[in-house]
Amino acid sequence: MQLSGPTFPVSCFAIRPASRDRGIGHSVDVWLARREALPEPGNSRTLLRETLSRYAPVAPEDWRFRTGEHGKPEIAQPAQARLRFNLSHSDRLVACAVTLDHDIGVDVENTARACEPLELGERVFTDEENRALRALTGRARQRRFFELWTLKEAWLKARGSGFALDPRCVSFEIGESARIRARFHGPVRDDPAQWSFALREPEPGQLMALALRTD
């Protein structure tokens, strides 16, 4: 769905629950804009302000924000107890994920950029994830690296901890029909049943992951 924002073009991915086993278990909207289209190129707060004003009778310039212990931005004023959001950007896109009541994390990456999946995987992936990565070759390996990486970053952002927490505390298994399972390790005692995840490709060469913590 293509919409016209007040000052720049945006698009919206509306993710609605079908089955928790197939992805996100609650409604999430992800608003996307090209970095160069923003009034201040790359300034994600411009997209954030105008996006939030679609959900509440608040002028974009009236939103005030604070940061959590590990830097996750939150709404400070006006009080909006139910709105939750998260931001991410790649070299081409800026993403703003919005939902109600639940912790949300989003990450978007350019999957065409050069990287060394096996070398990087040894530093950020679990043994199980690295074995799955080594079983693939070429583009399939590159794709799986970014799937795992974006899921981890989205999860860390949803928790509000960022990289203060070792990304190897979570292990992802991506099965048929992109079914995603998470297992938690070390100091993390999260209940997998309280988390749901999704992967989307908003445009060729751009991969987006969402993580949502429910009750």
Side-chain angles (χ1 to χ4, degrees), residues 118-196:
L118 296 183
E119 179 181 337
L120 292 171
E122 289 297 327
R123 291 159 32 195
V124 296
F125 294 162
T126 64
D127 291 343
E128 294 87 349
E129 291 169 329
N130 280 314
R131 281 195 293 270
L133 202 61
R134 287 193 295 270
L136 302 172
T137 60
R139 292 184 180 179
R141 177 182 287 172
Q142 181 96 347
R143 171 81 180 190
R144 181 52 50 90
F145 170 83
F146 281 107
E147 288 173 340
L148 294 172
W149 176 251
T150 55
L151 284 167
K152 284 176 182 285
E153 189 153 353
W155 174 72
L156 289 167
K157 292 171 72 177
R159 288 185 106 256
S161 60
F163 286 93
L165 188 63
D166 189 335
R168 289 169 292 190
C169 286
V170 62
S171 180
F172 289 102
E173 179 185 343
I174 304 171
E176 295 181 3
S177 302
R179 182 173 179 174
I180 301 166
R181 295 181 181 275
R183 295 192 300 273
F184 301 105
H185 314 284
V188 175
R189 296 292 182 263
D190 291 6
D191 180 356
Q194 292 183 327
W195 285 96
S196 51

Side-chain angles (χ1 to χ4, degrees), residues 34 90-93 108-114 142-143 146 150 200-208:
R34 288 191 166 274
S90 68
D91 59 333
R92 299 207 306 255
L93 297 176
V108 59
E109 298 283 347
N110 174 8
T111 60
R113 65 183 173 89
Q142 181 96 347
R143 171 81 180 190
F146 281 107
T150 55
R200 297 290 187 273
E201 191 172 29
E203 64 178 54
Q206 301 286 307
L207 183 66
M208 179 174 67

Side-chain angles (χ1 to χ4, degrees), residues 17-132:
S19 163
R20 285 185 59 87
D21 286 340
R22 295 176 56 193
I24 296 295
H26 292 263
S27 295
V28 176
D29 291 339
V30 185
W31 296 85
L32 296 158
R34 288 191 166 274
R35 294 186 65 164
E36 68 272 15
L38 296 174
E40 299 176 56
N43 187 344
S44 56
R45 287 297 178 94
T46 305
L47 175 63
L48 171 61
R49 291 177 180 278
E50 296 201 1
T51 296
L52 292 177
S53 291
R54 295 174 182 266
Y55 298 90
V58 179
E61 63 272 17
D62 289 341
W63 294 101
R64 298 292 180 269
F65 304 97
R66 59 174 177 256
T67 55
E69 180 182 356
H70 298 289
K72 183 179 182 180
E74 303 169 346
I75 297 170
Q77 293 293 332
Q80 295 288 331
R82 300 193 66 196
L83 273 179
R84 301 285 189 276
F85 71 88
N86 196 235
L87 295 166
S88 183
H89 62 79
S90 68
D91 59 333
R92 299 207 306 255
L93 297 176
V94 178
C96 179
V98 181
T99 191
L100 294 177
D101 301 323
H102 302 294
D103 294 329
I104 182 77
V106 62
D107 186 50
V108 59
E109 298 283 347
N110 174 8
T111 60
R113 65 183 173 89
C115 72
E116 296 293 337
L118 296 183
E119 179 181 337
L120 292 171
E122 289 297 327
R123 291 159 32 195
V124 296
F125 294 162
T126 64
D127 291 343
E128 294 87 349
E129 291 169 329
N130 280 314
R131 281 195 293 270

Side-chain angles (χ1 to χ4, degrees), residues 4-20:
S4 245
T7 57
F8 53 89
V10 296
S11 60
C12 181
F13 273 69
I15 300 175
R16 301 294 178 253
S19 163
R20 285 185 59 87

